Structures are given as structure tokens and as C-alpha cells.
Amino acid sequence: MSSDTNLFSSFQLGSLTLPNRIVMAPMTRLRAGDGGVPISANATYYSQRASAGLIITECTMISPQSQGYLNCPGIYSPQQVEGWRVVTNAVHEKGGRIFLQLWHCGRISHPALQAHGELPVSPSAIPAEGQLHTPNGKQSMIAPHALEIKEIQEIIQDFHKAAENARTAEFDGVELHGAFGYLIDQFLQDGSNHRTDEYGGSIENRAKFLLEVVEAVASVWGGNRVGIKFSPSNTYYSMVDSDPKTTFSYTIDALNRFDLAYIHLMEPEAKDLATREVLHPVASIFRPIYNGTLIANGGFTKESGNKILAEGNADLVSFGKSFLANPDLPKRFELDAPLNSPNSKTFYGQGSHQPEVGYTDYPFFDRAA
């Protein structure tokens, strides 16, 4: 990679020209309105951050079944689509580019979060550890329903329809959430997938669901407007694989044939490193395997972001908490300006109740001040 490649150099992402390599990472904020419909504060929040080379939205439900948290947005109803169109128009008016992250929680759910009290679903009837917020207070997760083949095909169609709805809402592309122990990840890793049919057992079978989802979504968008996020070293929600390097090496190599917009790789967090031995650093392990664009994510600063770009282990770098607290993060990086500190107490909102607090009220940099 050229020595002058840095966070401020432009990048050609398929047919999209990114003015910089600073990506806004997807971050769950739990500030959608009733029925998972985006509200005006969501449009303000994303348009404030339109100077990013690329914005990737928070995880967004592809169906009622996919829900695992309260106050999350969806992309399966006409009202949700129209709500998101307000967001994309606001971002585009500011000259930005925005991908929608498509999401199915799988077993990270509870009957209290399902439309008719059904069990959450997963490749196998193995519960994750932990509790979730529900309308009835905190509840421990329970054993999910193991999906039948017909139900798997229906979920693939839900991804396809969500991809169509994202086009209608005028996004620039979509990212599949294959990380953090949600449904795609549950199929991939053998700690959560004990199936003995065509979707379980060998890594070729465990990757089948993901590859069929990618094919369905790419049929709507074309591969170069589709990304996918992985977290090979994530230990949250009881996730474990007996051979993660082989599992993710096979999967990432198999994705080369789709000519995707990118793969988005998460480095382990401190909690992951403290829990057990995990792959680290992730990007440099899988960079030689993947032929396309790679986004690195996980605690990067301006300095470490420039370093991974210069080393050639990533093409773009995504920032989460620092973008949450600094709507003008690219400008602050460029000017070496001080950064606002994120307030963890306001990371997650309560629907339409004071959604601006800790969301749209972080100040922009003022040189004079």
C-alpha cells in the first residue's frame, strides 16, 4: 500500500467514492419509535455524522421474529421503510453515504420479545447465557427452537425482502450482521450449531446458511453493495468454536466469489482477551485470505488507524464510541482537536423518550471556543 495512504485519503468502494477511510461503525442505540419505526432524532443523528467516508447503521430487524431488544428499528414494514427514507435523505443531503445493517438475533431473544410469545430460534436448541431486557423486566435467555429446513428458507427470504426494502428506503448498500453471536454467527460456530443435516457438522455445512443469505441479498443489490461483519474472537453470549481460525478462514475465502463491497472484522475486546485464548490480531490473520476490501474495527484511534492502513492489513477503519461522541470525528482527527468523551450511561435510549440525550447533543468542534 502507498505510504501516503491514511485515514484522510479517498477510497473507491465499488461505484462509491469515499472522501476518507473513516467509517462510522454500526452501534446499537435503542432509540427507534413505536413499531420499530425510525424517528426524526435518528435522521438528525446520522446526518450529523455524514462526513464519515461511510456510515453503517445500527443493527436493524429483518422481521418480527428477528427481535432481541426493545426499541430497535426494523426494515420489514412500510412504516419502517418510510422512516428510514427520511434518514437516508438527510444523510444524502449532507453529502454522505449510508449502508443499512441487516440483523436476525436468533437465540438472543425471549418469548416476551416475540409477537405471539414464540420461542426464539437458532440452528440448535442450545441457550445462550445471560439476560435480556423485556417488557416484563430482565429475563434469562432460554433454550431456542431448533429451526427446521423450511423455516431456514423462510428466514433467507426475510433477508431478501429486507434487502429490497433497504433499496426502497434509498440506502447505498447493506451490511449483514454476522458477528456478536447473532443468528448467522450461531450457524457458523460449532458451539451453537450441533445440527446433523446440511446446515451443520462440517464447516462447509455450517457456512451454508450465511452463503445462501449473501446470495439472496446480493441478488437484490449486486455483490459490490453488500458487506458482512464478523467477530471471530467474540466470547459474548456463550459463543465458542473448536477451531475459529479454520472456520473463519474457510468462510472468508468462500466469500471471495461474491465480489462484495467489504468484509468488516472486529478485533477482540478486553473482555474477550480475558475470557480465554482468542485470535488476535484478527485483521492481519485474515487479510491474506480475502481479496477484497477489508474494514478493521475495535478500539482504534487516529494513530492506530493510520498504522493498520499503512501496514496494508485494512483498507478502511471503523470507529464506534468515538463517532458516537464526536459527530465531526473526521474533522477532529484532521485538526488533532480534542475529542468529546462518550457517556456510557446514555448509550442506549428509551424509544421516543428524550431520544436526543446522549445522542444528538454531543457538540461539534469549535476552533474559536
Side-chain angles (χ1 to χ4, degrees):
M1 183 169 288
S2 170
S3 60
D4 61 356
T5 297
N6 56 49
L7 290 170
F8 311 112
S9 55
S10 62
F11 185 79
Q12 197 66 34
L13 186 70
S15 57
L16 290 174
T17 300
L18 312 187
N20 58 62
R21 298 173 187 243
I22 302 169
V23 176
M24 178 178 169
M27 290 174 282
T28 302
R29 302 306 310 274
L30 305 184
R31 281 173 166 83
D34 294 341
V37 177
I39 59 176
S40 60
N42 304 141
T44 301
Y45 170 71
Y46 285 113
S47 65
Q48 284 178 335
R49 291 153 177 80
S51 62
L54 177 68
I55 292 171
I56 308 170
T57 73
E58 62 212 275
C59 42
T60 302
M61 301 179 293
I62 63 165
S63 67
Q65 181 198 66
S66 67
Q67 183 171 6
Y69 301 89
L70 298 170
N71 305 123
C72 280
I75 191 66
Y76 55 84
S77 76
Q79 295 82 6
Q80 292 164 351
V81 171
E82 288 309 305
W84 275 120
R85 196 201 305 269
V86 175
V87 174
T88 59
N89 286 346
V91 170
H92 292 150
E93 285 171 6
K94 293 285 187 68
R97 297 137 299 278
I98 183 168
F99 275 37
L100 179 72
Q101 191 185 64
L102 302 178
W103 181 52
H104 193 304
C105 278
R107 70 181 186 175
I108 312 305
S109 187
H110 189 275
L113 294 166
Q114 297 294 311
H116 303 291
E118 304 96 332
L119 288 173
V121 301
S122 192
S124 301
I126 303 169
E129 297 176 2
Q131 293 185 316
L132 295 171
H133 290 280
T134 78
N136 304 320
K138 272 195 169 185
Q139 303 270 355
S140 295
M141 286 180 277
I142 62 176
H145 163 67
L147 288 161
E148 299 177 3
I149 297 290
K150 178 177 179 291
E151 294 172 311
I152 293 173
Q153 296 305 314
E154 290 170 350
I155 291 175
I156 293 169
Q157 288 306 306
D158 287 338
F159 273 103
H160 182 272
K161 180 61 177 175
E164 291 182 328
N165 288 344
R167 282 191 69 106
T168 302
E170 301 181 26
F171 281 93
D172 297 301
V174 294
E175 176 181 284
L176 296 171
H177 199 334
F180 268 171
Y182 298 118
L183 187 61
I184 289 174
D185 206 17
Q186 291 161 31
F187 271 93
L188 279 178
Q189 301 203 50
D190 59 18
S192 50
N193 185 346
H194 292 187
R195 300 178 74 93
T196 57
D197 61 11
E198 63 191 279
Y199 288 97
S202 68
I203 178 52
E204 292 85 359
N205 286 358
R206 286 183 280 123
K208 181 178 170 67
F209 175 70
L210 161 65
L211 297 177
E212 289 182 348
V213 169
V214 171
E215 187 169 11
V217 172
S219 72
V220 175
W221 279 94
N224 66 2
R225 292 296 181 102
V226 178
I228 182 163
K229 189 172 188 180
F230 293 123
S231 56
S233 297
N234 169 56
T235 60
Y236 293 173
Y237 294 132
S238 320
M239 290 307 294
V240 64
D241 189 85
S242 61
D243 188 355
K245 186 173 182 179
T246 298
T247 293
F248 285 93
S249 293
Y250 171 85
T251 304
I252 289 170
D253 182 57
L255 290 170
N256 278 315
R257 73 174 188 262
F258 291 100
D259 189 26
L260 297 179
Y262 60 81
I263 61 169
H264 193 172
L265 296 181
M266 295 190 68
E267 297 293 342
E269 298 182 9
K271 181 179 178 180
D272 300 317
L273 294 169
T275 300
R276 62 172 184 266
E277 186 175 349
V278 295
L279 300 176
H280 178 61
V282 169
S284 61
I285 293 172
F286 298 107
R287 171 75 280 183
I289 297 170
Y290 190 61
N291 299 330
T293 299
L294 191 153
I295 303 177
N297 171 262
F300 284 95
T301 62
K302 173 185 172 179
E303 292 72 25
S304 60
N306 278 328
K307 184 173 185 288
I308 197 171
L309 293 176
E311 292 170 343
N313 286 321
D315 302 291
L316 304 167
V317 181
S318 69
F319 298 85
K321 294 175 186 176
S322 53
F323 232 134
L324 179 158
N326 296 275
D328 53 351
L329 186 66
K331 177 181 178 181
R332 288 176 184 260
F333 277 171
E334 196 163 12
L335 296 176
D336 287 320
L339 300 183
N340 299 322
S341 296
N343 180 2
S344 61
K345 294 180 180 179
T346 58
F347 281 176
Y348 306 110
Q350 296 296 323
S352 58
H353 178 63
Q354 291 188 310
E356 70 283 351
V357 177
Y359 191 58
T360 60
D361 57 356
Y362 283 103
F364 287 74
F365 177 66
D366 184 339
R367 184 190 292 273

